[in-house]
Amino acid sequence: MDLETALDWMIWGLAGLLILCSLLPLSKLPFGAIRGLAFPREQFLGLALLLAAAFALVQGPTTTYGMIGIALMLGVAALQAIYITKFTPIWRKQSLAASPELRRETDRHFSLLAANVKKSNRDYGKLIALVEARVPDIFMAIEVDQDWIDALDAGLGKNYEHRIDVPLDNGYGLCVMSKLSLSEVEVRELVTRDVPSIRARVHLPMGEDFRLYVVHPEPPVIEHDTKGRDSEIALVGIEAEKDPLPAVVSGDLNDVAWSTTTRRFQRLSALLDPRVGRGMYNTFSATMPWMRWPLDHLFHDPQFRLLEMDRLDKIGSDHFPMWFVLALAQTEAAESDPEETDREEEQETKDMIKEERKRDRDPIGSDWEDEEN
């Protein structure tokens, strides 16, 4: 086989693999190996454009095979763009920016710093210094064990009167530190044993309250289905929609903003994503620039307005922290709601949640950090 033939085979092989990886997630089958392929849509788009250029250079833009290859790769690029263009500035913003009047009403504001610390990361000082510099009203940390809780308490405890500590050695520990008063605090294992979430009522200075949900469901892995993750995300969405208080859901969802699961969550919850129309704010992986996607999320009730959103500097974790400042308005935003769900989808989701709750198993990835150490 000569070099030209080998190059042709390589380009067509890569093109065929890319087409397969782009089409499989459309099946919506709840398998990690399939659902994980929805993560790198930015990377797939870039690869499709590179392969389109390769077809033009190697086989020629006017030859039959060259035109077929170019057309296929541009089709793949268009498919990926359909999902991710929503998270660019050319799209209409879903979360409205706070008005000048609301910006002045600081007793309606709250700031939140969210960080997946990576349990095996022991550079406590970087995160503590970041929190001290930003001084958030609410600070939430994910993947904390008792060593992390002790370090955060020693470095920040004097500044945060209200605490919710859920230290775990399995990578699913949670911590919330708040300057704002908390009540009705619940720590729950919604679907899978040893995968906790937090639900609390937060009191703003002007006297109104909102509901905070902190979640960290399981990640998708090749050898396991994603029903546990999908069920927890969906269940929080259903609860948030029925909650009489305006809700904020935040955490590492182990899912991308454009996935089937997250889009269903928005339909079920009617919560808004501040990244829509602003940017992707890719938070994972902090260590591999070529493999980044948005895993750390905040969704909010239409009654909130956005003041600030930022991806912060590295803290030694494989995730970047996120910074949000929101203001609770007196009315809901007009014409900014995501698409609505239907009764059939909601019933199918409830059936999935009910089925998943019956499974008796350990959480996915509970020994990953132990293996690294």
Side-chain angles (χ1 to χ4, degrees):
M1 183 184 296
D2 59 33
L3 180 61
E4 184 177 350
T5 303
L7 191 57
D8 285 345
W9 275 101
M10 183 181 71
I11 293 173
W12 277 107
L14 285 173
L17 182 61
L18 181 58
I19 291 170
L20 180 65
C21 291
S22 299
L23 293 178
L24 280 175
L26 301 181
S27 69
K28 301 181 181 181
L29 293 173
F31 300 117
I34 294 176
R35 301 299 281 277
L37 293 173
F39 282 37
R41 291 198 181 278
E42 291 178 83
Q43 290 81 0
F44 284 172
L45 188 152
L47 180 57
L49 294 177
L50 286 175
L51 286 173
F55 277 115
L57 290 172
V58 175
Q59 298 196 327
T62 58
T63 65
T64 300
Y65 285 117
M67 287 189 291
I68 291 173
I70 292 170
L72 287 172
M73 291 303 95
L74 291 180
V76 169
L79 173 64
Q80 306 299 348
I82 288 171
Y83 286 90
I84 65 177
T85 302
K86 184 178 179 180
F87 301 93
T88 66
I90 69 172
W91 202 268
R92 183 174 66 89
K93 295 177 178 62
Q94 196 172 90
S95 299
L96 299 186
S99 65
E101 295 77 18
L102 187 55
R103 286 181 176 274
R104 290 191 290 268
E105 296 183 59
T106 55
D107 60 349
R108 290 183 167 274
H109 300 179
F110 80 93
S111 55
L112 183 148
L113 194 156
N116 181 321
V117 304
K118 186 173 176 61
K119 193 191 77 171
S120 60
N121 167 31
R122 298 305 175 185
D123 195 351
Y124 310 120
K126 281 187 178 179
L127 180 57
I128 291 170
L130 180 63
V131 175
E132 289 178 332
R134 288 280 177 162
V135 196
D137 296 311
I138 300 173
F139 163 58
M140 47 175 281
I142 289 171
E143 289 196 21
V144 293
D145 57 6
Q146 190 59 53
D147 289 340
W148 264 103
I149 294 292
D150 293 343
L152 293 173
D153 181 56
L156 301 169
K158 62 183 181 297
N159 299 321
Y160 289 90
E161 180 181 355
H162 306 278
R163 296 279 299 277
I164 308 170
D165 294 335
V166 192
L168 290 173
D169 292 326
N170 64 358
Y172 290 95
L174 303 172
C175 174
V176 173
M177 308 176 77
S178 178
K179 294 178 179 293
L180 302 174
S181 179
L182 304 177
S183 66
E184 300 177 10
V185 173
E186 298 176 79
V187 177
R188 308 174 296 168
E189 296 175 357
L190 289 173
V191 177
T192 304
R193 185 183 67 248
D194 295 331
V195 179
S197 68
I198 292 172
R199 183 176 185 263
R201 186 179 189 125
V202 183
H203 307 281
L204 290 170
M206 87 304 195
E208 294 188 37
D209 301 340
F210 70 90
R211 188 79 66 191
L212 175 65
Y213 295 83
V214 178
V215 293
H216 182 215
E218 298 170 295
V221 293
I222 292 174
E223 70 277 11
H224 204 284
D225 63 67
T226 61
K227 291 181 180 179
R229 181 201 66 177
D230 300 347
S231 295
E232 181 168 348
I233 293 172
L235 181 55
V236 170
I238 292 170
E239 286 192 358
E241 194 279 330
K242 298 183 184 305
D243 203 309
L245 294 177
V248 170
V249 175
S250 184
D252 171 9
L253 268 61
N254 275 312
D255 194 30
V256 287
W258 48 75
S259 77
T260 297
T261 299
T262 299
R263 296 200 324 271
R264 178 176 58 199
F265 163 82
Q266 280 204 271
R267 290 193 296 271
L268 291 167
S269 67
L271 300 183
L272 309 181
D273 185 346
R275 289 165 301 192
V276 173
R278 291 186 171 90
M280 298 182 193
Y281 294 86
N282 294 331
T283 56
F284 179 93
S285 161
T287 58
M288 294 179 284
W290 62 89
M291 191 179 74
R292 285 185 179 166
W293 35 71
L295 294 190
D296 298 87
H297 305 252
L298 181 143
F299 299 93
H300 63 81
D301 188 276
Q303 194 172 337
F304 288 97
R305 305 292 189 271
L306 182 68
L307 286 92
E308 297 178 29
M309 177 172 57
D310 194 14
R311 190 185 75 179
L312 304 180
D313 294 335
K314 296 179 182 180
I315 56 168
S317 172
D318 52 357
H319 288 246
F320 290 97
M322 283 295 294
W323 169 260
F324 302 93
V325 183
L326 299 175
L328 184 62
Q330 295 180 340
T331 59
E332 289 192 355
E335 300 180 358
S336 59
D337 292 347
E339 58 184 301
E340 295 182 358
T341 188
D342 55 42
R343 290 185 178 180
E344 182 179 357
E345 180 180 51
E346 186 168 349
Q347 187 57 52
E348 289 176 355
T349 302
K350 289 179 178 178
D351 291 342
M352 175 183 67
I353 295 168
K354 185 177 180 180
E355 176 186 343
E356 187 61 22
R357 278 176 160 171
K358 294 178 181 178
R359 296 170 72 177
D360 183 20
R361 60 177 178 83
D362 293 328
I364 294 170
S366 57
D367 59 347
W368 287 352
E369 297 286 278
D370 296 334
E371 291 174 1
E372 290 183 11
N373 294 332

